[in-house]
Amino acid sequence: MGNLIWKIIFAFHMPLMFAISGSVSDEERIRNMKGKKSCSGYLLKCVVNLYGSYLFFGYVYWSVKFFLYQGNRVVSVSDAIRLPFDSSGWEAGWYLMALLIIKILDFLIVKGISRKEIRAVIWILLFLFGRHIPVAFIADACSYGIYFQLGRRWKNEKFENPQILIGVLALAGILKYEGIYVFLMNFVIAAALCEIVIIVMVQAKEKRMLFFEEMGMYSMIPYALHAYFTIPVRVVLEKINCGSFSIFVLAGFLSAILFSYLIILLVKRFPKIKHVFYPI
């Protein structure tokens, strides 16, 4: 059961992160930017907010691991030295590095190429061949950049034909199980699941969705701090000799919801905290 849950979660959880990032990005705003000042200001904001946060919380995480609690992943001084260009010292931080590269590439492609068909071809080629690039975070950006673009396209769509997506998922699952076109089927499964989640969230009008909208506004904070919060959860479960992956996932999920809600309340109460996570 635990292995099945793991496979379901890891089939789309990171593609979904990039797709949601794309769904809240504004392509029209980039196209309308005029002059070096506005363009350089946008790129500077991306660098400070993403790379700045990556470095700051990466070193905080490394310090906690190195001086207080090593856990199941031992860090060294060399990890701290390599951190500015290698996220192995803070594995979760690779997402911020990859997203930064995606946003820079997206800016250059949108500003340099007017036809959306050509832009789409470029992202597809990056997806197919970029993963062979030896620099990890650039390869990750190429691999996940296509989900960023798909998320941008999905946000205004209507969820009218769920049976088509279900059929696509079923066919892709069968082909993957048979070992046919595994790389392509992984993409199809991830894309279909991401599309379902985003379209449902966009189309939902119930008030309970406001919580998710608010959580999205402060998403950098729970993301950057989630490792500090999941470590104690893991420690407690280990102390009581609970090795069930299913229970760990459930405990982590519920803890993340509670943690995110508390973060929202805290930032609303003390707005200046946001400047630590969003410097510009």
Side-chain angles (χ1 to χ4, degrees):
M1 183 63 180
N3 189 45
L4 176 62
I5 295 174
W6 185 90
K7 286 182 177 180
I8 292 173
I9 293 174
F10 281 81
F12 74 103
H13 80 301
M14 286 314 303
L16 179 61
M17 296 272 291
F18 287 95
I20 291 175
S21 298
S23 71
V24 297
S25 68
D26 191 347
E27 187 178 79
E28 190 68 26
R29 176 193 171 198
I30 294 176
R31 283 203 298 266
N32 292 333
M33 286 181 184
K34 305 294 183 183
K36 293 183 179 179
K37 185 176 181 180
S38 60
C39 292
S40 59
Y42 171 81
L43 293 175
L44 177 62
K45 183 174 182 179
C46 291
V47 171
V48 173
N49 287 350
L50 292 172
Y51 189 64
S53 296
Y54 164 80
L55 287 179
F56 179 79
F57 290 101
Y59 280 115
V60 171
Y61 178 77
W62 178 87
S63 298
V64 171
K65 292 278 287 183
F66 188 78
F67 294 107
L68 298 177
Y69 176 77
Q70 288 281 1
N72 60 352
R73 167 67 170 85
V74 177
V75 297
S76 63
V77 174
S78 61
D79 288 322
I81 296 173
R82 295 196 310 270
L83 190 65
F85 51 88
D86 181 358
S87 62
S88 59
W90 181 37
E91 293 176 346
W94 73 269
Y95 169 79
L96 298 178
M97 293 276 277
L99 182 57
L100 173 61
I101 299 300
I102 288 173
K103 291 182 77 69
I104 293 174
L105 287 174
D106 178 65
F107 176 85
L108 296 175
I109 292 172
V110 169
K111 296 296 287 184
I113 301 173
S114 58
R115 293 187 60 183
K116 63 180 181 180
E117 296 84 0
I118 298 178
R119 295 201 299 266
V121 169
I122 291 174
W123 284 108
I124 291 171
L125 292 175
L126 287 173
F127 173 74
L128 292 175
F129 302 109
R131 60 197 179 99
H132 300 294
I133 295 174
V135 182
F137 60 88
I138 297 179
D140 290 333
C142 294
S143 298
Y144 289 96
I146 194 168
Y147 297 106
F148 182 91
Q149 296 300 318
L150 289 174
R152 178 180 279 165
R153 304 290 174 257
W154 288 331
K155 63 182 177 182
N156 295 320
E157 296 297 323
K158 294 183 178 179
F159 190 56
E160 295 178 343
N161 298 301
Q163 64 274 16
I164 294 178
L165 286 175
I166 293 172
V168 168
L169 281 170
L171 178 60
I174 292 171
L175 291 175
K176 180 181 177 181
Y177 179 77
E178 294 296 332
I180 303 173
Y181 309 119
V182 174
F183 174 69
L184 180 59
M185 290 309 103
N186 285 337
F187 166 73
V188 172
I189 291 171
L193 289 172
C194 290
E195 183 176 0
I196 290 173
V197 173
I198 289 181
I199 292 177
V200 168
M201 290 179 66
V202 168
Q203 294 300 313
K205 303 298 183 182
E206 293 85 352
K207 289 185 178 180
R208 63 176 177 270
M209 292 301 295
L210 293 176
F211 166 73
F212 294 100
E213 292 176 7
E214 281 195 321
M215 190 164 63
M217 291 175 61
Y218 305 103
S219 58
M220 179 71 79
I221 303 175
Y223 173 77
L225 298 178
H226 80 279
Y228 308 102
F229 197 69
T230 55
I231 287 175
V233 173
R234 182 185 292 273
V235 170
V236 170
L237 291 176
E238 289 176 350
K239 290 294 184 182
I240 61 176
N241 296 319
C242 178
S244 171
F245 183 79
S246 302
I247 293 178
F248 175 73
V249 169
L250 180 61
F253 178 77
L254 294 176
S255 300
I257 293 294
L258 176 60
F259 177 57
S260 299
Y261 183 65
L262 292 175
I263 288 293
I264 291 171
L265 294 179
L266 183 64
V267 174
K268 283 184 174 180
R269 179 68 179 82
F270 305 101
K272 291 184 178 180
I273 295 177
K274 279 191 70 175
H275 295 306
V276 177
F277 297 86
Y278 306 97
I280 295 180

